[in-house]
Every structure is written in structure tokens, then in C-alpha cells.
Amino acid sequence: MYIPFSDIDFESRVWVYQANRKLTNEEAGIIIETLKASLDHWEAHGKPLTASGKIFEHRFVVIAVDERDELPSGCSIDKSVHWLQEIGQRMNIDFFDRSLAYLGANDEVHTIPVPKIKQAVADEVIEPSTIIFDHQVATKAQWMTRWKIPASNSWLNRYFSQQTSL
């Protein structure tokens, strides 16, 4: 059963999918309508899941499920992955490219290939205060407080430690 993202419980489990490019308003609208329809009928072992989905920053699709009502099964989680794969194929969007890191600057989302991060830190393109989107959050509450964090508070911190020891 689909519910608005603002209404889903803070302890709901979340998955964050990042688009490899900025979504147009039209694409975002199509994706949201497709997700609403899919999530409205999402179930685990024949039992409905209370779920939501929303697009943020014209770049990220966040799906949430309230596990207090029913736990998603491996099959139901796979189904949600397939939805994003199908949408991506139809719209030429890759939601599964893990080779990019996502940075926020000047109200825009920028990407940088992961292998180039160390050099970007050395060149001060990425600074400790640069906003990083951390997709490792597990709940809506974590998403709200830890999804956008300074690079120094993320997995990138080790590169700043190397920088100061040079």
C-alpha cells in the first residue's frame, strides 16, 4: 500500500538509488507515477507492504517500507530493484552505477568517479566541508540526518587524514 513519503514512519527501511544524470521534470513525474502504482501493489508473501517512494534533487529515488506492518522478503526487494532497472532501461537512466560519488555544491548535484576522489581531495576540489550523499543509510531517520553530510564525516575522511600527513 502506497503512502506519502512524509507519512512513512521514521524507522522505515530505505533504499536510495542514484541516477547517473539529472532527471527532467517529465522523467521525474513518470518515475513517481510508476513507483506509486508499483508500491501500491507491493507485497511480501501475499501480504501488502506499507511503502513510499520519492525523488529528491532530481537525481535520487528513495523507496521506503514500514517494517512494523510486514517485513519485505528477498523476492519483494528484488521486485523493487527490477522496477528501477525497467524504468532505467526505458528512459536510458542507470540507477545502479556504483562507480560515481555524489557531491552537493551550489544547489547542484555533481558526480566524480570514485577512482578520482583521492586526486580531487589533493586538488582541493573536494574539501572537508563538501557535501556528500551517503547512500548507506538504512532508515528514514538516518536518511534525514545522515544522507547529506560533510565529506569529513563520511567514508571520504580517510583521504583528508592522508592529506594532513603529507
Side-chain angles (χ1 to χ4, degrees):
M1 169 181 74
Y2 174 84
I3 65 172
F5 195 80
S6 58
D7 295 346
I8 197 109
D9 187 75
F10 291 117
E11 293 308 311
S12 294
R13 185 169 173 193
V14 296
W15 294 269
V16 180
Y17 299 93
Q18 67 281 337
N20 62 331
R21 61 174 175 79
K22 185 175 181 177
L23 304 172
T24 66
N25 289 336
E26 182 180 349
E27 289 170 333
I30 291 168
I31 291 167
I32 284 299
E33 289 309 311
T34 303
L35 274 180
K36 281 182 182 178
S38 299
L39 292 170
D40 204 34
H41 296 71
W42 198 21
E43 43 184 51
H45 303 294
K47 296 180 181 171
L49 295 171
T50 302
S52 190
K54 191 165 179 175
I55 294 175
F56 294 91
E57 311 279 344
H58 279 296
R59 205 62 184 254
F60 307 101
V61 176
V62 179
I63 295 177
V65 64
D66 189 338
E67 294 181 320
R68 295 176 306 167
D69 299 324
E70 186 66 39
L71 291 173
S73 64
C75 292
S76 62
I77 294 168
D78 287 348
K79 186 176 277 190
S80 68
V81 169
H82 292 297
W83 296 333
L84 271 294
Q85 288 172 331
E86 289 173 12
I87 291 168
Q89 286 176 338
R90 284 197 318 258
M91 301 176 115
N92 197 26
I93 303 165
D94 186 349
F95 291 104
F96 299 93
D97 184 355
R98 301 291 185 238
S99 69
L100 298 173
Y102 291 77
L103 318 171
N106 305 319
D107 294 324
E108 289 284 327
V109 175
H110 304 276
T111 59
I112 186 164
V114 171
K116 294 187 177 184
I117 287 176
K118 189 174 183 179
Q119 189 59 50
V121 169
D123 294 343
E124 297 181 352
V125 171
I126 299 175
E127 298 178 335
S129 62
T130 301
I131 296 300
I132 299 296
F133 293 89
D134 181 3
H135 305 310
Q136 301 303 308
V137 293
T139 66
K140 180 181 176 185
Q142 288 177 355
W143 174 84
M144 292 173 70
T145 58
R146 293 190 1 224
W147 180 52
K148 292 182 188 181
I149 56 175
S152 61
N153 294 345
S154 76
W155 58 274
L156 296 178
N157 187 47
R158 67 179 179 257
Y159 296 113
F160 300 113
S161 302
Q162 291 173 3
Q163 206 49 19
T164 56
S165 64
L166 296 177

